[in-house]
Amino acid sequence: MLKRTFAALAFAGAAVAMSSCASPVTTASAGSRTGCATTTSLGAVAGTVREGLCVFRGIRYAEPPTGALRFRPPRPVGRWRGTLKATDDKAVCPQDRDAMSEDYPDGRALFTDEDCLRLNVWTPAPDHRRRPVIVFVHGGAARYGTANEPRYDGARLAARGDAVVVSINYRLGVLGWSELGGLDPAYKGSGNNGLRDQITALRWVHDHIADFGGDPADVTAVGESAGAFSLSAMLATDHPERLFRRVVLESGSGALVHTAAYEREVAAQLPVKSVAELRGMSTKQILDLQNKVIDQDAPGIIGATYFAPYIDGALVRDSVVTRVARGNARGVDLLIGTNRDEMNFFGQLGPEAMTAIGQQYDAVFFPHALAARRERMVAAYRRGRSATEAALAMFTDQGMRVPATRLAQAQSRWRPTYLYEFGWRPTKEYGAVHTLELPFVFGTFRFTGILGGEEAFNADRARLTTLSDQMIDAWTSFARTGDPNARRTVERPAWPAYRAPRRATMMWNVGAKVADDPRGRERALWNGYPFTAFGLPA
């Protein structure tokens, strides 16, 4: 069915996605405090000193999901003997290299080590001072990416914000997001194992981050793209406040969490007759199978949302916006936003790709339920735009911006909520595309997957460094207090909380400003359409 539904999406080259690790060893010198070491209830850990910070890389938070544990929920890691030398920064969960959109830690073309459930910690010192904790969940279409990408280096966030920063790996693709309960009831719920990995990592943080100088009662989870889909799904689980006190969702919301029906359709595409058949495959064979299925049944942009958390009724109870509106996340502060030209990311192969994506949107993605108002909506979006630009603007609003405003509005009833839009454009042709905020949030200024990003940054380095400082101050202030205005070392406007009808939005750009209900007429065109969960087009 997926193959028939999305046949119109195929076009050449546009399927863009959104190792051995440290082992415990005994060493006489690793326990020295001067060498960045600490002791947890699981055992001693030794990291490295870098630029005045203590950095711990490749700490295992769950047992290797291999052998009998493949396709099973994560099993929390047990105690180790001796001192864990946490110096491995190369862990990448299984995937084929996506050099266009990911910033890998080495040059491998294929990553096949399933023993990848590791996390990294950057801290000013493991001194029990109870600093705010920021846990980052990477994006990459739940098929690509790793916590060890240089663009996600947490050093600047940790140093500038006096915070403890954690980045986590989780299982990807078929290995983490395939519902196999239809093949074997014992594997029911496996379609959310990637989400369970993340939850297990967050629980590890709660249990052990105090030993690294962090406050387990002051955890902010930050996710981008698929990471944001995942964290938004956690808002629809029972007691999300037990996982984090605050959450930042960058370019992703619960509208892209799968329905159960869609997840069943995805599972049905796997050409296997048993879980045993899958378990008997090598990692490479599973990746090859995964690529074949996506190429055949979800070509083009839909491949970027093929894997995601889903509403299973047990872990993810209902649609995110429904649960949030009812107060399920009333104990969680929310900061959420999108980039001005999200969907243009997929058109960076050139004008032909941009045109093709616009045509695909018109043919496949525009909601059938809005057919009666389609002509009026298209006319409104065409003001000052070409046909392709209008289609991509509608695609961005439908897929990212408007669902973000809906989630912000739902949560604003219960907790302080902040909305942003990132609008700096490295090129006029593509604008502020998906992932563009990341080099500024981390202060790494690595523009992987962003055409013209590095050149544009170098041409305006001083002002763009200021923009990054403003964003880091806002993110870390939010993590510390729930208010992004608590620490403004670089001048910028105050950021009001989001509430209708004002709908105050921080517009991040050179010269940041606050706008009330930006492009509100276009936002209002979607009124009445329920952005609940991602399913098959009706």
Side-chain angles (χ1 to χ4, degrees), residues 85-304:
K85 296 182 69 174
T87 58
D88 192 319
D89 60 357
K90 299 296 189 294
V92 177
C93 285
Q95 60 193 274
D96 292 289
R97 188 181 190 87
D98 180 4
M100 177 177 176
S101 62
E102 304 303 325
D103 188 19
Y104 290 102
D106 59 37
R108 282 175 287 175
L110 179 67
F111 302 89
T112 59
D113 189 355
E114 295 182 46
D115 180 12
C116 62
L117 300 186
R118 313 286 177 127
L119 55 78
N120 308 309
V121 180
W122 292 261
T123 179
D127 54 11
H128 300 276
R129 280 187 53 187
R130 292 187 173 264
R131 298 171 179 84
V133 181
I134 298 171
V135 181
F136 179 69
V137 184
H138 70 81
R143 293 169 60 194
Y144 304 108
T146 173
N148 289 305
E149 298 191 30
R151 63 176 166 179
Y152 304 147
D153 188 294
R156 185 153 177 77
L157 272 174
R160 186 173 180 86
D162 190 28
V164 177
V165 177
V166 181
S167 62
I168 67 174
N169 279 342
Y170 56 93
R171 280 175 284 183
L172 303 170
V174 168
L175 290 164
W177 304 95
S178 284
E179 179 51 55
L180 305 178
L183 294 175
D184 184 341
Y187 287 83
K188 184 177 181 181
S190 61
N192 275 327
N193 278 345
L195 190 66
R196 289 186 175 88
D197 292 345
Q198 298 167 18
I199 290 172
T200 300
L202 285 164
R203 288 173 176 159
W204 185 98
V205 167
H206 181 272
D207 292 344
H208 305 294
I209 206 63
D211 298 315
F212 295 84
D215 184 353
D218 193 7
V219 174
T220 297
V222 179
E224 189 270 338
S225 194
F229 309 164
S230 296
L231 293 178
S232 69
M234 292 182 203
L235 298 178
T237 65
D238 291 337
H239 300 292
E241 74 281 358
R242 295 178 182 174
L243 298 174
F244 39 72
R245 185 173 183 179
R246 303 180 178 96
V247 66
V248 177
L249 304 179
E250 300 175 19
S251 301
S253 71
L256 290 169
V257 172
H258 289 177
T259 64
Y262 184 78
E263 188 66 23
R264 287 193 294 269
E265 288 289 346
V266 168
Q269 308 310 311
L270 281 176
V272 295
K273 297 181 180 179
S274 68
V275 176
E277 185 179 349
L278 270 177
R279 284 186 52 192
M281 293 181 180
S282 69
T283 310
K284 184 178 185 305
Q285 286 174 325
I286 287 179
L287 291 175
D288 289 343
L289 178 67
Q290 171 181 301
N291 293 337
K292 180 179 179 181
V293 168
I294 291 176
D295 288 345
Q296 291 180 346
D297 297 295
I301 299 173
I302 196 61

Side-chain angles (χ1 to χ4, degrees), residues 383-414:
R383 295 186 186 120
R385 299 185 179 103
S386 69
T388 293
E389 290 169 343
L392 290 168
M394 292 178 72
F395 202 177
T396 291
D397 279 4
Q398 180 183 331
M400 294 287 184
R401 184 175 80 99
V402 178
T405 67
R406 295 281 182 87
L407 189 57
Q409 184 171 345
Q411 183 64 351
S412 68
R413 176 184 175 189
W414 305 100

Side-chain angles (χ1 to χ4, degrees), residues 219-529:
V219 174
T220 297
V222 179
E224 189 270 338
S225 194
F229 309 164
S230 296
L231 293 178
S232 69
M234 292 182 203
L235 298 178
T237 65
D238 291 337
H239 300 292
E241 74 281 358
R242 295 178 182 174
L243 298 174
F244 39 72
R245 185 173 183 179
R246 303 180 178 96
V247 66
V248 177
L249 304 179
E250 300 175 19
S251 301
S253 71
L256 290 169
V257 172
H258 289 177
T259 64
Y262 184 78
E263 188 66 23
R264 287 193 294 269
E265 288 289 346
V266 168
Q269 308 310 311
L270 281 176
V272 295
K273 297 181 180 179
S274 68
V275 176
E277 185 179 349
L278 270 177
R279 284 186 52 192
M281 293 181 180
S282 69
T283 310
K284 184 178 185 305
Q285 286 174 325
I286 287 179
L287 291 175
D288 289 343
L289 178 67
Q290 171 181 301
N291 293 337
K292 180 179 179 181
V293 168
I294 291 176
D295 288 345
Q296 291 180 346
D297 297 295
I301 299 173
I302 196 61
T305 55
Y306 192 75
F307 296 110
Y310 85 102
I311 301 167
D312 58 5
L315 180 62
V316 184
R317 296 289 193 172
D318 200 346
S319 84
V320 174
V321 72
T322 298
R323 292 276 282 180
V324 167
R326 293 174 180 169
N328 190 67
R330 69 182 69 192
V332 178
D333 300 329
L334 173 64
L335 190 157
I336 184 171
T338 57
N339 297 349
R340 175 67 186 257
D341 306 293
E342 294 272 6
M343 296 304 177
N344 292 14
F345 177 87
F346 300 97
Q348 291 182 103
L349 297 173
E352 297 82 3
M354 292 279 281
T355 301
I357 293 169
Q359 291 172 345
Q360 291 163 19
Y361 173 72
D362 289 338
V364 178
F365 284 102
F366 183 84
H368 295 180
L370 299 183
R373 68 175 85 164
R374 179 172 184 148
E375 186 174 336
R376 177 165 57 92
M377 292 179 71
V378 171
Y381 276 90
R382 278 298 305 271
R383 295 186 186 120
R385 299 185 179 103
S386 69
T388 293
E389 290 169 343
L392 290 168
M394 292 178 72
F395 202 177
T396 291
D397 279 4
Q398 180 183 331
M400 294 287 184
R401 184 175 80 99
V402 178
T405 67
R406 295 281 182 87
L407 189 57
Q409 184 171 345
Q411 183 64 351
S412 68
R413 176 184 175 189
W414 305 100
R415 296 293 296 173
T417 298
Y418 298 88
L419 185 75
Y420 75 86
E421 180 176 279
F422 187 87
W424 177 69
R425 303 185 304 164
T427 67
K428 292 182 179 179
E429 292 84 357
Y430 303 113
V433 301
H434 192 60
T435 77
L436 183 56
E437 87 289 353
L438 289 168
F440 295 89
V441 169
F442 282 92
T444 56
F445 305 122
R446 295 181 67 92
F447 292 90
T448 304
I450 309 298
L451 289 184
E454 184 175 357
E455 294 83 356
F457 172 75
N458 288 333
D460 199 8
R461 180 180 289 268
R463 293 199 303 166
L464 292 173
T465 298
T466 296
L467 172 59
S468 174
D469 290 344
Q470 291 172 332
M471 295 181 72
I472 290 174
D473 285 353
W475 263 237
T476 55
S477 292
F478 179 76
R480 186 178 298 277
T481 67
D483 181 356
N485 302 294
R487 182 174 183 268
R488 283 185 280 165
T489 63
V490 180
E491 184 179 354
R492 65 163 174 83
W495 185 350
Y498 185 88
R499 283 187 176 275
R502 182 184 176 186
R503 303 179 186 275
T505 304
M506 176 59 75
M507 311 298 284
W508 290 116
N509 207 328
V510 172
K513 64 180 182 180
V514 174
D516 293 343
D517 197 13
R519 302 190 305 286
R521 291 183 179 180
E522 292 176 358
R523 176 197 54 76
L525 292 169
W526 300 93
N527 286 351
Y529 182 73

